[in-house]
């Protein structure tokens, strides 16, 4: 519209000029034409940002004025018109070129602005992805570790240092397994929302899975921090609504004051406190103490020793008899491993198995123990059985049945004379897979014993579905037999269950005659413990087989 309006005004001006020039002499007409030409050139240049208007103005001015000049009879009319036309054309070409370059420059600037805006949004999105857990909106592992590093960079010590709390949700796996991962996601988002509302929290983040890290205000003294952590533990117990389902869980908390170490060291100490909290009970708060520091350093040293040790040189085996009181005879032996960090002091599995798990050497140790036990204690040649303990990871590890079967074949041992003992812990995380693995052991001829029965999660109703040949009653029940009616009732129930299932039942940890006699009165036939013999080397137990009799009377 503006282009047409500008051309119209230019045409009117041209008509007005042509009308006036009719009354002028030749000199005045030359001056008028000069003025028109200068005005036209100036207009074309001035309208360079709108080439269409410039072209229209040039046409409506130059064309009629040129025709009038040619018809006026002026002696220089042809030259004047030619110069005006050429200059106008050149100016139009120049303005068109400038405008084209200007448009390209502006479009390029706009594209650059768009790219910068897109890059900024992408950078913001990348920053969120790099620092924020998308499920909960909390900081992710990388970001919370960076905040810990920032706390450590401040070199605060003593009461000026912030608190680091690690939270592990008790019962989260059960929720995931029972109600699905969507329910688990709902729980994690709800927990993050509760953490965000806790006062005196500097920041918090999700380390992964169901574990959160919280940095608490350094101004809190230990008593105030404990009170805040207990309030937080209570808040975690509040039900979470998922659809029509009410989900309940708790959170164990380990706390450590951040000071003078790397972020990984701080996490290690808070995690050690968390581990103690989970051992005590669900929802417990434990603060890392100087005693815990000493224990952690000692454990770190012995873990490195175990990792670097030659197991062939540092592991030895001892064997404890399993007796049949009904026949007053030894029915078999259980192999126990002993590990020494120095060749002098020998540790029991309860003291070093966690080291094997931490260093990933359980499979190596199981293979070595199996091969050595089959080599030095050939109990089957005397009509006895040989019991060997399997670590939970070895029970679940694919290929273990085949590996152990090859070891038995290489040793010339009949698999049915070998009893593989598995603990209840091996069956907790994935009961279906554990059952399938036990069936695989049975398919290769091994017998299966459920060790430490009655000490953990198990119930009598769960045993019937497992492919078992024996139940071994935990020694804690054995120690309580003479004084606890409840223990006697439970042992009696286990013996009855074993009889109904057609499997053997052995009582572990029998230490005196009273326990043995009480157990026999409850129907227990197979027993083992210090009352019948301490674990000893293979040569001694095999040499002592002939003529050995046991009596509880």
């Amino acid at each position: 519209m503006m282009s047409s309006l500008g051309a119209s005004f230019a045409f009117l001006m041209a008509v007005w000029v042509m009308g006036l020039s009719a009354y002028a002499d030749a000199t005045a007409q030359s001056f008028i034409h000069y003025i028109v030409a200068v005005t036209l050139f100036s207009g074309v240049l001035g309208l360079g940002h709108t080439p269409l208007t410039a072209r229209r103005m040039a046409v409506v001015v130059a064309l009629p004025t040129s025709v009038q000049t040619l018809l006026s009879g002026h002696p220089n009319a042809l030259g004047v018109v030619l110069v005006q036309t050429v200059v106008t054309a050149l100016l139009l070409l120049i303005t068109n070129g400038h405008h084209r370059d200007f448009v390209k420059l502006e479009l390029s600037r706009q594209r650059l602005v768009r790219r910068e805006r897109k890059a900024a949004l992408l950078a913001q999105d990348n920053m969120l992805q790099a620092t924020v857990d998308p499920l909960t909106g909390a900081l992710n592992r990388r970001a919370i570790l960076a905040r810990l590093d920032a706390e450590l960079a401040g070199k605060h010590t003593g009461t000026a240092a912030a608190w680091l709390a690690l939270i592990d949700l008790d019962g989260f796996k059960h929720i995931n397994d029972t109600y699905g991962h969507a329910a688990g996601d709902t729980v994690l988002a709800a927990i993050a929302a509760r953490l965000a509302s806790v006062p005196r929290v500097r920041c918090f983040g999700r380390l992964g899975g169901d574990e959160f890290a919280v940095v608490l205000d350094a101004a809190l003294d230990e008593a105030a921090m404990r009170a805040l952590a207990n309030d937080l533990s209570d808040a975690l117990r509040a039900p979470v609504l998922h659809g029509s389902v009410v989900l309940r869980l708790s959170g164990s908390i380990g706390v450590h004051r951040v000071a003078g170490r790397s972020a990984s060291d701080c996490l290690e100490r808070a995690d050690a406190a968390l581990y103690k909290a989970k051992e005590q009970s669900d929802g417990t708060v434990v603060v890392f103490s100087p005693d815990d520091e000493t224990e952690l350093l000692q454990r770190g040293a012995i873990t490195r020793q175990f990792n670097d040790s030659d197991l062939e040189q540092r592991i030895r085996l001892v064997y404890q008899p399993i007796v049949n009181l009904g026949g007053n005879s030894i029915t078999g032996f259980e192999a126990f491993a002993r590990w020494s960090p120095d060749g002098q002091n020998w540790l029991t599995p309860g003291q070093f198995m966690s080291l094997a798990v931490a260093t990933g050497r359980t499979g190596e140790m199981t293979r070595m123990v199996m091969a050595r036990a089959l080599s030095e204690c050939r109990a089957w040649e005397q009509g006895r059985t040989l019991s060997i303990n399997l670590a939970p990871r070895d029970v679940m590890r694919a290929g273990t049945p085949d590996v152990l079967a090859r070891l038995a074949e290489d040793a010339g041992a009949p698999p049915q004379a070998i009893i593989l003992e598995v603990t209840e812990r091996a069956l907790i995380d994935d009961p279906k897979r554990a059952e399938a693995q036990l069936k695989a052991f049975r398919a290769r001829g091994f017998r299966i014993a459920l060790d430490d029965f009655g000490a953990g999660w198990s119930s009598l109703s769960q045993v019937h579905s497992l492919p078992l040949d024996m139940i071994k009653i935990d020694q804690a029940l054995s120690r309580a037999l003479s004084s606890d009616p409840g223990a006697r009732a439970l042992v009696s129930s286990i013996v009855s269950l074993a009889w109904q299932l057609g499997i053997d039942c052995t009582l572990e940890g029998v230490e005196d005659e009273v326990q043995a006699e009480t157990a026999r009165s409850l129907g227990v036939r197979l027993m083992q413990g210090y009352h019948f013999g301490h674990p000893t080397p293979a040569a001694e137990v095999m040499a002592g087989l002939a003529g050995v009799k046991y009596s509880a009377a």
Side-chain angles (χ1 to χ4, degrees):
M1 177 179 177
M2 292 301 296
S3 177
S4 300
L5 185 62
S8 299
F9 277 109
F11 179 73
L12 291 175
M13 185 201 75
V15 171
W16 178 62
V17 168
M18 287 188 296
L20 291 177
S21 63
Y23 300 99
D25 56 18
T27 303
Q29 288 179 348
S30 297
F31 181 73
I32 290 172
H33 200 88
Y34 173 79
I35 295 299
V36 170
V38 170
T39 302
L40 177 61
F41 299 157
S42 300
V44 170
L45 289 174
L47 293 172
H49 61 288
T50 56
L52 179 60
T53 303
R55 288 195 297 272
R56 287 180 175 178
M57 186 191 72
V59 170
V60 299
V61 173
L63 185 62
T65 55
S66 295
V67 171
Q68 187 209 25
T69 300
L70 291 173
L71 297 177
S72 65
H74 192 282
N76 297 323
L78 182 60
V80 169
V81 170
L82 184 61
V83 170
Q84 176 179 294
T85 303
V86 170
V87 171
T88 301
L90 288 174
L91 290 178
L92 287 175
L93 290 174
I94 292 172
T95 55
N96 281 336
H98 286 175
H99 181 264
R100 184 169 58 252
D101 293 341
F102 171 77
V103 170
K104 289 181 179 179
L105 181 63
E106 179 62 19
L107 290 176
S108 176
R109 187 191 68 80
Q110 291 179 7
R111 285 194 297 269
L112 179 62
V113 169
R114 285 194 297 270
R115 282 198 298 269
E116 288 177 346
R117 187 181 298 115
K118 185 177 180 180
L121 292 175
L122 184 60
Q124 183 179 7
D125 186 55
N126 289 338
M127 178 64 70
L128 288 175
Q129 291 183 17
T131 60
V132 176
D133 175 51
L135 176 61
T136 63
L139 296 177
N140 61 15
R141 183 181 183 88
R142 177 186 298 177
I144 196 66
L145 291 181
R147 293 295 294 270
L148 275 178
D149 285 332
E151 290 287 340
L152 291 169
K155 299 187 182 303
H156 301 301
T157 59
T159 57
W163 296 94
L164 170 64
L166 290 189
I167 302 172
D168 187 82
L169 302 181
D170 307 311
F172 180 77
K173 185 179 186 305
H174 168 74
I175 289 174
N176 256 350
D177 293 343
T178 305
Y179 300 103
H181 289 283
D185 292 347
T186 300
V187 167
L188 293 174
I191 296 303
R194 292 174 190 177
L195 292 176
S197 65
V198 174
R200 314 299 290 272
V201 170
R202 289 188 179 179
C203 62
F204 69 94
R206 181 182 173 211
L207 294 177
D210 60 339
E211 191 172 41
F212 290 83
V214 183
V215 178
L216 300 171
D217 196 341
L220 295 167
D221 59 23
E222 184 169 335
M225 183 278 304
R226 284 182 181 273
L228 179 61
N230 284 320
D231 290 342
L232 177 57
S233 178
D234 292 339
L236 297 178
R237 294 180 186 274
V240 176
L241 187 63
H242 175 67
S244 60
V245 178
V246 177
L247 307 174
R248 291 179 173 84
L249 73 167
S250 60
S252 298
I253 303 177
V255 185
H256 168 60
R257 194 184 275 279
V258 177
R261 302 183 182 90
S262 67
S264 61
D265 284 343
C266 293
L267 284 174
E268 183 181 15
R269 282 152 178 80
D271 192 60
L274 175 62
Y275 182 79
K276 291 183 67 173
K278 292 183 73 68
E279 280 190 326
Q280 293 180 20
S281 64
D282 292 347
T284 301
V285 175
V286 171
V287 180
F288 191 79
S289 68
D291 290 341
D292 294 325
E293 178 72 20
T294 301
E295 181 182 337
L296 182 66
L297 293 176
Q298 291 174 344
R299 179 175 176 80
I302 197 170
T303 300
R304 288 190 292 272
Q305 279 185 296
F306 188 91
N307 184 65
D308 298 336
S309 68
D310 181 355
L311 294 185
E312 287 285 350
Q313 300 297 323
R314 295 299 186 184
I315 290 285
R316 75 177 185 184
L317 302 183
V318 290
Y319 303 85
Q320 186 176 52
I322 301 171
V323 304
N324 181 346
L325 287 189
N328 291 330
S329 61
I330 295 176
T331 64
F333 300 95
E334 180 177 353
F336 293 102
R338 299 288 186 264
W339 174 74
S340 175
D342 53 13
Q344 301 295 324
N345 302 303
W346 295 90
L347 306 182
T348 65
Q351 296 170 305
F352 71 80
M353 274 306 298
S354 60
L355 304 179
V357 173
T359 56
R361 303 188 73 179
T362 57
E364 175 189 356
M365 191 172 68
T366 294
R367 293 190 297 272
M368 192 210 71
V369 167
M370 179 85 167
R372 184 177 295 182
L374 294 176
S375 172
E376 66 185 24
C377 185
R378 303 177 68 83
W380 60 90
E381 294 178 349
Q382 303 295 328
R384 271 75 172 183
T385 60
L386 178 62
S387 297
I388 297 174
N389 292 277
L390 295 185
R393 291 191 178 186
D394 293 324
V395 175
M396 303 299 288
R397 184 179 287 113
T400 300
D402 292 327
V403 170
L404 299 189
R406 283 196 297 270
L407 290 174
E409 182 180 0
D410 293 342
Q416 61 271 18
I418 300 172
I419 300 175
L420 301 179
E421 298 192 8
V422 300
T423 63
E424 296 172 303
R425 287 191 58 190
L427 313 178
I428 294 175
D429 292 338
D430 193 344
K432 290 185 178 179
R433 175 168 174 76
E435 182 180 351
Q437 286 287 95
L438 295 186
K439 289 180 178 178
F441 286 120
R442 288 280 298 275
R444 287 153 181 81
F446 296 111
R447 298 171 65 190
I448 306 297
L450 181 60
D451 199 11
D452 300 333
F453 187 79
W457 63 275
S458 62
S459 68
L460 300 181
S461 62
Q462 293 170 306
V463 176
H464 77 278
S465 62
L466 297 173
L468 300 176
D469 298 282
M470 178 184 293
I471 293 174
K472 301 193 74 171
I473 303 174
D474 185 66
Q475 57 183 343
L477 290 175
S478 179
R479 287 193 295 267
L481 278 180
S482 58
S483 60
D484 187 352
R488 291 193 292 272
L490 182 55
V491 169
S492 178
S493 297
I494 295 173
V495 172
S496 176
L497 173 68
W499 181 81
Q500 293 177 33
L501 294 176
I503 62 179
D504 290 328
C505 180
T506 301
L507 180 64
E508 299 179 295
V510 179
E511 297 183 350
D512 55 45
E513 185 68 22
V514 174
Q515 293 175 0
E517 181 59 33
T518 303
R520 185 165 65 172
S521 69
L522 296 174
V524 179
R525 184 173 56 88
L526 299 176
M527 303 182 198
Q528 70 180 102
Y530 289 168
H531 180 57
F532 306 103
H534 287 253
T536 55
E540 294 182 28
V541 298
M542 295 301 290
L545 271 178
V548 175
K549 298 292 183 181
Y550 290 93
S551 175

